[in-house]
Amino acid sequence: MSDLLPSTARALDRLAVEAQVTSRTPALVAGVARHGTLVWSTAIGAADLDDPSVPLGDDTQFLVASNTKTFVAVQIMQLRDEGKLSLDDTIDQHLPSAHSTVTVRQMLSHLTGMQREPVGDVWDTLQFPARDELIDGWNAARRVGRPHDHWHYSNLCYAMLGELIAHLDGEPWESSLQRRLLDPLGLTRTTLSLQAPHTRQYYVPHYTDVPVREPLIIKGAMASAGSICSTLSDMVRWHAFLLDPDSAILSPDTALEMRQPQAMVDGTWTAGYGLGLQLVRHEGRTWFGHTGGLPGGITGFFSEASSGTTGAVLMNNSAAKDPAGTAVRLGTYVETHDPLVPAPWVPGSAEPPQLKPLVGQWFSEGAGFILSIRDGHLEARVEGAPATTPPSIFEQQDPDTFRTVSGREQGELLVVRRRPDGSVRQFNWATYRFTRDPLGFGEPTPD
């Protein structure tokens, strides 16, 4: 499986055991993958304390719970890309809703201010609404905060997103999930009910070390908020798709959009939320993914885009600790101590003559910028920026107009201004003037 250094594998084994001990979880499965291929995994404990014959490993199902939201978010983004909705549509444009200013974007990013759970004491009774009760329950629910005032997690909103998918696709949410994602991606061990081999669910009380069996929750209309069961192998494959999606299923630009922060979750600027994705900043890297929690199922799956690394942990104790932190620490250890050998530099083969007058150093607002030709296209970097900072890349639209397709000022135009003899006098990028010499705003560009 692994081309990791033996010292790296030993360190990962130690981190996994420490997580299992801290969480007192009867079973723990953990792994690290690169671009969807597991390079290390481990299984600790027993899947079923009453049946030692149940295997525990990469193909053992756990409750992955709110990781379901990442699937729902992709379904919504597919519908958006198909023109069936806008993220800024209000929910009442599609479903009967008393909450007329709640938008799809707010629901995806937990910025609606709507209450967390459906009306009633569902986590006391463990009885969840049926689908035909969902809309009435939504309309009876309270908006407990102002939209965008602060991040407030809402399972109720994701239940409604499932209903929105069902409405627009003309089939139950579960059928849409199977057709749109599970079948095309070959996620055969990702289901809405536990399929053998799977773990039992436990709670380990605070003041004893004897696990107690947990009930299996039937979530009814709340299924789209957190009902998926899956395995380490399938969830690593799912994250490989989120890292580098098949454009026939999801546009790579849409996947990138989902990873853009919509809200900060905490006051330390280390946790955020995108469109259906949790974001974690750790040791200079941003990891995206989600955690999941149900009685007897605590999981975390997080990926880092630049390296294609995924860290994962699956546990079966209701009180298991820090799934996000464990997954991110595993992935970070590999990238810090055992990084891939970088790809060698390859000479370019095209030097478009129309780009050559633009290369070299330019100045704007007193700052230096370097324009270069790479792989036949024009790119710009801030002088002195860290090598890890991605450049701005331009796509030529006409002889003197370029659009920024990625990096700083994405979407803005770069317009070349010429002298009467055709030489480049300056260019304006996002309207700001760039000249060969550093000039103040009031100084004219030399002719």
Side-chain angles (χ1 to χ4, degrees):
M1 174 191 296
S2 173
D3 58 357
L4 298 178
L5 296 169
S7 59
T8 301
R10 285 196 300 272
L12 296 175
D13 289 341
R14 183 184 68 252
L15 290 172
V17 170
E18 289 172 354
Q20 191 264 350
V21 170
T22 300
S23 290
R24 300 195 305 155
T25 180
L28 178 145
V29 170
V32 175
R34 280 176 163 151
H35 305 289
T37 299
L38 279 166
V39 296
W40 167 86
S41 68
T42 191
I44 303 168
D48 187 334
L49 297 176
D50 296 324
D51 185 357
S53 69
V54 177
L56 181 66
D58 301 354
D59 193 49
T60 306
Q61 270 197 347
F62 287 72
L63 304 177
V64 301
S66 284
N67 283 280
T68 304
K69 293 178 173 69
T70 64
F71 292 83
V72 170
V74 168
Q75 290 173 273
I76 289 289
M77 298 307 286
Q78 289 175 315
L79 288 163
R80 191 283 304 273
D81 289 351
E82 293 164 9
K84 296 178 180 177
L85 60 80
S86 164
L87 296 188
D88 297 312
D89 285 351
T90 54
I91 190 66
D92 64 314
Q93 291 177 244
H94 302 281
L95 298 171
S97 174
H99 302 287
S100 59
T101 60
V102 172
T103 70
V104 175
R105 183 186 304 276
Q106 292 168 353
M107 296 171 80
L108 283 171
S109 51
H110 298 294
L111 289 171
T112 62
M114 290 295 297
Q115 68 182 61
R116 180 180 175 119
E117 304 294 340
V119 172
D121 299 321
V122 294
W123 286 108
D124 189 10
T125 64
L126 301 183
Q127 299 296 312
F128 290 82
R131 186 177 173 188
D132 60 2
E133 301 170 314
L134 180 62
I135 298 294
D136 287 344
W138 165 262
N139 290 333
R142 295 186 304 122
R143 204 165 193 176
V144 298
R146 296 190 300 271
H148 296 274
D149 183 64
H150 62 277
W151 185 84
H152 180 69
Y153 196 78
S154 177
N155 283 317
L156 178 58
C157 282
Y158 269 78
M160 285 295 288
L161 289 173
E163 187 66 15
L164 175 58
I165 293 164
H167 173 72
L168 294 176
D169 270 347
E171 60 184 331
W173 166 72
E174 297 89 342
S175 300
S176 171
L177 173 69
Q178 194 74 41
R179 175 178 58 83
R180 285 182 172 274
L181 296 174
L182 302 186
D183 287 345
L185 296 177
L187 301 179
T188 58
R189 292 285 288 147
T190 300
T191 59
L192 292 172
S193 60
L194 285 167
Q195 307 292 323
H198 64 78
T199 62
R200 291 287 187 183
Q201 290 70 55
Y202 298 99
Y203 167 64
V204 181
H206 279 62
Y207 304 112
T208 177
D209 58 0
V210 180
V212 176
R213 284 277 296 273
E214 288 280 42
L216 189 61
I217 304 299
I218 306 300
K219 299 202 74 176
M222 300 296 293
S224 55
S227 59
I228 283 180
C229 314
S230 193
T231 66
L232 173 64
S233 293
D234 259 23
M235 289 303 292
V236 160
R237 191 175 298 119
W238 171 241
H239 268 249
F241 168 77
L242 293 176
L243 283 161
D244 185 21
D246 178 347
S247 59
I249 301 174
L250 185 72
S251 163
D253 287 341
T254 298
L256 179 61
E257 180 183 357
M258 293 176 69
R259 301 199 296 267
Q260 302 308 306
Q262 301 287 316
M264 298 309 300
V265 172
D266 62 4
T268 63
W269 294 71
T270 58
Y273 209 88
L275 297 171
L277 297 172
Q278 293 177 0
L279 307 172
V280 176
R281 288 285 294 165
H282 182 69
E283 295 186 6
R285 294 181 175 91
T286 299
W287 297 79
F288 72 86
H290 220 285
T291 56
L294 277 173
I298 301 291
T299 56
F301 306 91
F302 285 84
S303 293
E304 199 275 321
S306 66
S307 64
T309 302
T310 300
V313 63
L314 305 91
M315 300 176 283
N316 69 336
N317 174 13
S318 300
K321 308 297 183 185
D322 196 18
T326 299
V328 169
R329 280 191 292 275
L330 291 168
T332 298
Y333 191 92
V334 169
E335 286 312 301
T336 301
H337 295 88
D338 205 346
L340 287 172
V341 176
W345 177 80
V346 177
S349 58
E351 191 178 60
Q354 72 273 19
L355 300 184
K356 292 183 70 174
L358 294 172
V359 301
Q361 187 170 45
W362 294 85
F363 294 91
S364 181
E365 301 179 85
F369 291 75
I370 305 297
L371 270 61
S372 307
I373 297 171
R374 296 286 184 272
D375 297 326
H377 60 249
L378 186 69
E379 67 175 36
R381 293 180 181 273
V382 178
E383 190 174 25
T388 54
T389 303
S392 295
I393 297 177
F394 301 93
E395 183 179 90
Q396 191 165 16
Q397 296 196 319
D398 61 45
D400 286 336
T401 306
F402 299 79
R403 182 172 294 280
T404 318
V405 295
S406 66
R408 180 190 181 107
E409 306 294 359
Q410 182 175 345
E412 296 282 0
L413 295 181
L414 183 156
V415 180
V416 178
R417 312 294 186 186
R418 297 184 182 274
R419 299 182 180 91
D421 64 2
S423 62
V424 176
R425 178 174 178 267
Q426 67 179 58
F427 64 83
N428 293 76
W429 182 19
T431 75
Y432 285 84
R433 181 179 60 161
F434 285 71
T435 58
R436 288 294 190 183
D437 298 311
L439 299 174
F441 279 94
E443 294 183 86
T445 306
D447 289 327

